[in-house]
Amino acid sequence: MPACPETERFAALLRSLKNRSGLSYEALAKKTGTAGSTLHRYCRGTSVPQDYGSVHRFATACGATPDELRTLHRQWALADAARTEPGTGTGTGTEADADVVEGVEVVEGVDLVDSDGAEEPEAVEPGAAEPKAVEPKAVEPKAVEVGPVRPVRQGRFRLDQFRQGRFRVVVIGAVVLTLGVSAWALTTDHPSSGSSGGGSAADGRLLFSAACQPVVAMGQHDTCVGEVQRLLHAKGADIDVDSDFGPQTLRRVTAFQVFSGLQPNGVVGDATKKALYTSNVRMTVWPPAKVRQHIRAVFTDAPDAAVAIADCQSFLDPLHILPNTNGTRNWGLFQISDLRLRELGGTPRQALDPEWNIRAAQRLWSKKRDFHDWPNCERAVKGAATTAPAR
């Protein structure tokens, strides 16, 4: 079954990076922690990752530049948006015979499928419950009748019935708005009526002015991103103020949300904007020298290997956060996963504390006295001593 255009363009970017790197799927699997067969499906366009984390690891392993990472993230967002709805298709966002639908209820968030199988956002008002709420004049009754030539199937409307100018403008605007922002993120951090977030550039709160979008997210490059970075830097975050919402900003925003008790979704909505201006959160962390020193003090039986693992996992950054393909996250110096956090009785907030993270990693190491929890960094360990040197 052919992929939709968004998925194919996303797959083409992945193939280009892989071909340029000269790495095999087996080599990339070792570097990314994702099965080679899975990476092959991504590059063929027959599957789209559920989370950007695996895409980022793949691109980084292939030597992608910051600009390439931003382009890839935007294309992944489009491919992910074109994904088939749960339980209705192949999971790649394509349907070979997606024709027309009659009698289906129209609700917010439902996607339309055009004649070549590519899903696009539907231009409906929140809460609309009938098909006629979508541009009534654009749908003639005869267009949805069951005819002998084009059989009618339950589940979708033909998008080509709605290709009028106004709908096209709405679709383009909706796609731009959703770049880098997943649906779950918007439901947990969005502007709400009656909030105290209203403001303007004149009162010193640029993020609440008309110049900024309701949600500032990955892939943006403007003064609003620069404002987010400036506010994070003022709270002690190690971040470049370059007005470019890339992976570094994503990690710092997520960490700030954890410290502030907000949903750590990595996007800057109303609640996060307000916290950036009003909270007393401080994001200062240990420098690399202190991190190395403390790891060696805790991992007395394998100090060099432990430092190498942490360096491989997080570049010795206590606030390093990466997502997994199943929607979970890895946290802190030793990139402790949500599953391991539950086993250890910890929280994301604790995992971002270098003291707690290092000792938690040592507890995992002590079970078998090896680094089996970090298989992707075996190469880093080979070049380091695995036991304490004799004195």
Side-chain angles (χ1 to χ4, degrees):
M1 182 175 294
C4 69
E6 290 83 359
T7 302
E8 179 50 41
R9 283 191 286 270
F10 169 68
L13 290 174
L14 294 181
R15 291 195 298 270
S16 176
L17 289 172
K18 177 188 177 297
N19 293 338
R20 188 183 68 189
S21 71
L23 296 172
S24 65
Y25 285 110
E26 181 181 2
L28 287 169
K30 292 179 180 179
K31 285 178 172 289
T32 62
T34 303
S37 59
T38 300
L39 296 177
H40 187 238
R41 289 196 299 272
Y42 295 163
C43 289
R44 288 180 57 198
T46 58
S47 180
V48 177
Q50 294 181 355
D51 197 287
Y52 178 68
S54 60
V55 181
H56 180 78
R57 290 192 292 272
F58 177 92
T60 302
C62 291
T65 66
D67 285 342
E68 289 172 332
L69 288 174
R70 286 189 291 273
T71 299
L72 189 62
H73 186 277
R74 285 193 291 271
Q75 193 56 51
W76 168 80
L78 290 171
D80 186 61
R83 187 191 306 277
T84 301
E85 293 176 359
T88 64
T90 65
T92 62
T94 63
E95 288 183 341
D97 59 347
D99 261 348
V100 293
V101 176
E102 73 173 351
V104 66
E105 183 180 21
V106 179
V107 296
E108 182 180 13
V110 174
D111 292 331
L112 294 172
V113 180
D114 64 12
S115 56
D116 63 5
E119 292 187 359
E120 297 183 38
E122 181 176 357
V124 298
E125 293 294 327
E130 296 297 334
K132 62 183 180 181
V134 182
E135 293 294 340
K137 295 181 181 181
V139 183
E140 295 298 331
K142 294 181 180 179
V144 294
E145 291 180 353
V146 177
V149 178
R150 301 298 299 273
V152 178
R153 299 177 63 242
Q154 287 286 336
R156 303 225 174 241
F157 287 98
R158 288 192 63 175
L159 187 61
D160 54 4
Q161 297 171 350
F162 299 94
R163 290 196 177 277
Q164 276 71 31
R166 284 185 295 169
F167 181 75
R168 185 174 303 166
V169 171
V170 173
V171 167
I172 294 174
V175 170
V176 172
L177 178 61
T178 57
L179 287 179
V181 184
S182 59
W184 66 271
L186 291 175
T187 61
T188 56
D189 193 359
H190 62 280
S192 57
S193 58
S195 71
S196 59
S200 66
D203 67 8
R205 296 196 294 178
L206 175 63
L207 294 178
F208 287 108
S209 71
C212 295
Q213 298 179 17
V215 173
V216 181
M218 183 83 166
Q220 286 183 226
H221 182 91
D222 52 33
T223 56
C224 301
V225 176
E227 176 76 348
V228 170
Q229 295 170 332
R230 184 187 67 79
L231 292 168
L232 290 170
H233 187 269
K235 295 183 182 302
D238 177 16
I239 186 172
D240 297 327
V241 182
D242 57 5
S243 299
D244 191 358
F245 202 125
Q248 182 197 39
T249 303
L250 177 66
R251 290 191 289 269
R252 294 299 182 254
V253 166
T254 305
F256 172 76
Q257 290 169 329
V258 171
F259 291 141
S260 301
L262 302 172
Q263 177 67 36
N265 53 32
V267 301
V268 183
D270 186 67
T272 303
K273 290 178 182 179
K274 184 177 180 180
L276 283 170
Y277 285 115
T278 62
S279 75
N280 295 320
V281 166
R282 298 297 302 170
M283 299 179 66
T284 51
V285 295
W286 292 0
K290 184 175 180 179
V291 170
R292 292 190 187 93
Q293 180 182 11
H294 200 72
I295 290 176
R296 291 179 181 280
V298 173
F299 282 85
T300 55
D301 291 335
D304 293 337
V307 170
I309 288 288
D311 196 4
C312 172
Q313 288 287 311
S314 67
F315 308 105
L316 303 182
D317 176 11
L319 301 186
H320 199 73
I321 303 169
L322 283 179
N324 299 310
T325 56
N326 60 2
T328 62
R329 310 253 177 142
N330 291 349
W331 306 90
L333 285 170
F334 281 89
Q335 289 292 277
I336 298 176
S337 66
D338 287 330
L339 174 62
R340 287 288 184 259
L341 275 182
R342 288 193 294 271
E343 293 176 357
L344 295 168
T347 65
R349 177 65 184 86
Q350 288 176 308
L352 296 182
D353 175 3
E355 170 74 30
W356 190 94
N357 193 288
I358 293 170
R359 294 197 175 279
Q362 198 276 337
R363 287 166 59 188
L364 294 174
W365 175 85
S366 64
K367 291 180 180 180
K368 296 183 178 181
R369 296 185 67 80
D370 65 24
F371 293 96
H372 68 278
D373 264 80
W374 299 274
N376 298 327
C377 290
E378 291 179 355
R379 185 173 300 178
V381 175
K382 290 179 181 178
T386 57
T387 58
R391 303 226 179 244

CSV table of all heavy atoms in Angstrom, one decimal, residues 184-185 188-189 250 253-259 261-267 272 321 327 329 331 348 352:
chain,number,residue,atom,x,y,z
A,184,TRP,N,-2.0,15.5,22.3
A,184,TRP,CA,-2.0,15.4,23.7
A,184,TRP,C,-1.4,16.6,24.4
A,184,TRP,O,-1.8,17.0,25.5
A,184,TRP,CB,-1.3,14.1,24.2
A,184,TRP,CG,0.1,14.1,23.9
A,184,TRP,CD1,0.8,13.7,22.8
A,184,TRP,CD2,1.2,14.6,24.8
A,184,TRP,NE1,2.1,13.9,22.9
A,184,TRP,CE2,2.4,14.4,24.1
A,184,TRP,CE3,1.2,15.2,26.1
A,184,TRP,CZ2,3.6,14.8,24.7
A,184,TRP,CZ3,2.4,15.5,26.6
A,184,TRP,CH2,3.6,15.3,25.9
A,185,ALA,N,-0.5,17.2,23.7
A,185,ALA,CA,0.2,18.4,24.3
A,185,ALA,C,-0.8,19.6,24.4
A,185,ALA,O,-0.9,20.3,25.4
A,185,ALA,CB,1.4,18.8,23.5
A,188,THR,N,-3.3,19.6,27.3
A,188,THR,CA,-2.8,19.7,28.7
A,188,THR,C,-2.2,21.1,28.9
A,188,THR,O,-1.9,21.4,30.1
A,188,THR,CB,-1.7,18.6,28.9
A,188,THR,OG1,-0.7,18.8,28.0
A,188,THR,CG2,-2.3,17.2,28.9
A,189,ASP,N,-2.0,21.9,27.9
A,189,ASP,CA,-1.3,23.2,28.1
A,189,ASP,C,-1.8,24.1,27.1
A,189,ASP,O,-1.1,24.3,26.1
A,189,ASP,CB,0.2,23.1,28.1
A,189,ASP,CG,0.9,24.3,28.7
A,189,ASP,OD1,0.2,25.2,29.0
A,189,ASP,OD2,2.1,24.3,28.7
A,250,LEU,N,13.7,22.5,23.5
A,250,LEU,CA,12.7,21.5,23.9
A,250,LEU,C,13.0,20.8,25.2
A,250,LEU,O,12.1,20.7,26.1
A,250,LEU,CB,12.6,20.4,22.8
A,250,LEU,CG,11.6,19.2,23.1
A,250,LEU,CD1,10.2,19.7,23.1
A,250,LEU,CD2,11.8,18.2,22.0
A,253,VAL,N,12.6,23.5,28.1
A,253,VAL,CA,11.2,23.8,28.4
A,253,VAL,C,10.6,22.6,29.2
A,253,VAL,O,9.9,22.8,30.2
A,253,VAL,CB,10.4,24.0,27.1
A,253,VAL,CG1,8.9,23.9,27.3
A,253,VAL,CG2,10.8,25.3,26.5
A,254,THR,N,10.9,21.4,28.8
A,254,THR,CA,10.3,20.2,29.5
A,254,THR,C,10.8,20.1,30.9
A,254,THR,O,10.1,19.9,31.8
A,254,THR,CB,10.7,18.9,28.7
A,254,THR,OG1,10.3,19.0,27.4
A,254,THR,CG2,10.1,17.7,29.4
A,255,ALA,N,12.1,20.4,31.1
A,255,ALA,CA,12.7,20.4,32.5
A,255,ALA,C,12.0,21.5,33.3
A,255,ALA,O,11.6,21.3,34.5
A,255,ALA,CB,14.2,20.6,32.4
A,256,PHE,N,11.8,22.7,32.8
A,256,PHE,CA,11.2,23.8,33.5
A,256,PHE,C,9.8,23.3,33.9
A,256,PHE,O,9.3,23.6,35.0
A,256,PHE,CB,11.1,25.0,32.6
A,256,PHE,CG,10.3,26.1,33.2
A,256,PHE,CD1,10.8,26.9,34.3
A,256,PHE,CD2,9.0,26.4,32.8
A,256,PHE,CE1,10.1,27.9,34.9
A,256,PHE,CE2,8.3,27.4,33.4
A,256,PHE,CZ,8.8,28.2,34.4
A,257,GLN,N,9.0,22.7,33.0
A,257,GLN,CA,7.7,22.2,33.3
A,257,GLN,C,7.7,21.2,34.5
A,257,GLN,O,6.8,21.3,35.4
A,257,GLN,CB,7.0,21.6,32.1
A,257,GLN,CG,6.7,22.7,31.0
A,257,GLN,CD,6.3,22.0,29.7
A,257,GLN,OE1,6.7,21.0,29.4
A,257,GLN,NE2,5.4,22.7,29.0
A,258,VAL,N,8.7,20.4,34.5
A,258,VAL,CA,8.8,19.4,35.6
A,258,VAL,C,9.0,20.1,36.9
A,258,VAL,O,8.4,19.9,37.9
A,258,VAL,CB,9.9,18.4,35.4
A,258,VAL,CG1,10.2,17.6,36.6
A,258,VAL,CG2,9.6,17.5,34.2
A,259,PHE,N,10.0,21.1,36.9
A,259,PHE,CA,10.3,21.8,38.1
A,259,PHE,C,9.1,22.7,38.6
A,259,PHE,O,8.9,22.9,39.8
A,259,PHE,CB,11.5,22.8,37.9
A,259,PHE,CG,12.8,22.1,37.7
A,259,PHE,CD1,13.7,22.5,36.8
A,259,PHE,CD2,13.1,20.9,38.5
A,259,PHE,CE1,14.9,21.8,36.7
A,259,PHE,CE2,14.3,20.3,38.4
A,259,PHE,CZ,15.2,20.7,37.4
A,261,GLY,N,5.9,21.9,38.2
A,261,GLY,CA,4.7,21.1,38.5
A,261,GLY,C,3.7,21.1,37.4
A,261,GLY,O,2.5,20.8,37.6
A,262,LEU,N,4.1,21.4,36.2
A,262,LEU,CA,3.2,21.4,35.0
A,262,LEU,C,3.4,20.1,34.2
A,262,LEU,O,4.3,19.3,34.4
A,262,LEU,CB,3.6,22.6,34.1
A,262,LEU,CG,3.5,23.9,34.7
A,262,LEU,CD1,4.0,25.0,33.7
A,262,LEU,CD2,2.0,24.3,35.1
A,263,GLN,N,2.4,19.8,33.3
A,263,GLN,CA,2.5,18.7,32.4
A,263,GLN,C,3.7,18.8,31.6
A,263,GLN,O,3.8,19.8,30.8
A,263,GLN,CB,1.3,18.6,31.6
A,263,GLN,CG,1.3,17.4,30.6
A,263,GLN,CD,1.2,16.1,31.2
A,263,GLN,OE1,0.6,15.9,32.2
A,263,GLN,NE2,2.0,15.1,30.6
A,264,PRO,N,4.7,17.9,31.6
A,264,PRO,CA,5.9,18.1,30.8
A,264,PRO,C,5.7,17.7,29.4
A,264,PRO,O,6.2,16.6,28.9
A,264,PRO,CB,6.9,17.1,31.5
A,264,PRO,CG,6.0,16.1,32.1
A,264,PRO,CD,4.8,16.7,32.5
A,265,ASN,N,5.1,18.5,28.6
A,265,ASN,CA,4.8,18.2,27.2
A,265,ASN,C,5.7,18.9,26.2
A,265,ASN,O,5.7,18.6,25.0
A,265,ASN,CB,3.3,18.6,26.9
A,265,ASN,CG,3.0,20.0,27.2
A,265,ASN,OD1,3.9,20.9,27.1
A,265,ASN,ND2,1.8,20.3,27.6
A,266,GLY,N,6.6,19.8,26.7
A,266,GLY,CA,7.6,20.4,25.8
A,266,GLY,C,7.1,21.5,24.9
A,266,GLY,O,7.9,22.0,24.1
A,267,VAL,N,5.9,21.9,25.1
A,267,VAL,CA,5.4,23.1,24.4
A,267,VAL,C,5.0,24.2,25.3
A,267,VAL,O,4.6,23.9,26.5
A,267,VAL,CB,4.1,22.7,23.5
A,267,VAL,CG1,4.5,21.6,22.5
A,267,VAL,CG2,3.0,22.3,24.4
A,272,THR,N,2.4,27.4,30.9
A,272,THR,CA,3.9,27.5,30.9
A,272,THR,C,4.3,28.9,30.7
A,272,THR,O,5.3,29.4,31.4
A,272,THR,CB,4.5,26.6,29.8
A,272,THR,OG1,4.1,25.3,30.0
A,272,THR,CG2,6.0,26.7,29.8
A,321,ILE,N,16.7,15.3,28.6
A,321,ILE,CA,15.4,14.6,28.5
A,321,ILE,C,15.2,14.1,27.0
A,321,ILE,O,15.3,15.0,26.1
A,321,ILE,CB,14.2,15.4,29.0
A,321,ILE,CG1,14.5,15.9,30.4
A,321,ILE,CG2,12.9,14.6,28.9
A,321,ILE,CD1,13.5,17.0,30.8
A,327,GLY,N,6.0,6.9,23.8
A,327,GLY,CA,5.4,8.0,24.5
A,327,GLY,C,6.0,8.3,25.9
A,327,GLY,O,5.7,9.3,26.5
A,329,ARG,N,9.4,8.7,28.5
A,329,ARG,CA,10.6,9.6,28.5
A,329,ARG,C,11.8,8.9,29.2
A,329,ARG,O,11.6,8.1,30.1
A,329,ARG,CB,10.3,10.9,29.1
A,329,ARG,CG,9.1,11.6,28.5
A,329,ARG,CD,9.4,12.7,27.6
A,329,ARG,NE,8.2,13.3,27.1
A,329,ARG,CZ,8.0,14.6,26.9
A,329,ARG,NH1,8.9,15.5,27.2
A,329,ARG,NH2,6.8,15.0,26.4
A,331,TRP,N,15.2,10.2,31.5
A,331,TRP,CA,15.4,11.4,32.3
A,331,TRP,C,16.8,11.5,32.9
A,331,TRP,O,17.4,10.5,33.4
A,331,TRP,CB,14.4,11.5,33.5
A,331,TRP,CG,13.0,11.4,33.1
A,331,TRP,CD1,12.3,10.2,33.0
A,331,TRP,CD2,12.1,12.5,32.8
A,331,TRP,NE1,11.0,10.6,32.6
A,331,TRP,CE2,10.9,11.9,32.5
A,331,TRP,CE3,12.3,13.8,32.7
A,331,TRP,CZ2,9.8,12.7,32.1
A,331,TRP,CZ3,11.2,14.6,32.4
A,331,TRP,CH2,10.0,14.0,32.1
A,348,PRO,N,10.0,12.0,37.8
A,348,PRO,CA,10.8,12.8,36.9
A,348,PRO,C,11.6,13.9,37.6
A,348,PRO,O,12.7,14.2,37.3
A,348,PRO,CB,9.8,13.4,35.9
A,348,PRO,CG,8.7,12.3,35.8
A,348,PRO,CD,8.6,11.9,37.3
A,352,LEU,N,15.8,14.3,37.6
A,352,LEU,CA,16.6,15.5,37.1
A,352,LEU,C,17.5,16.0,38.2
A,352,LEU,O,18.3,17.0,38.0
A,352,LEU,CB,15.6,16.6,36.7
A,352,LEU,CG,14.7,16.2,35.5
A,352,LEU,CD1,13.9,17.4,35.1
A,352,LEU,CD2,15.6,15.8,34.3
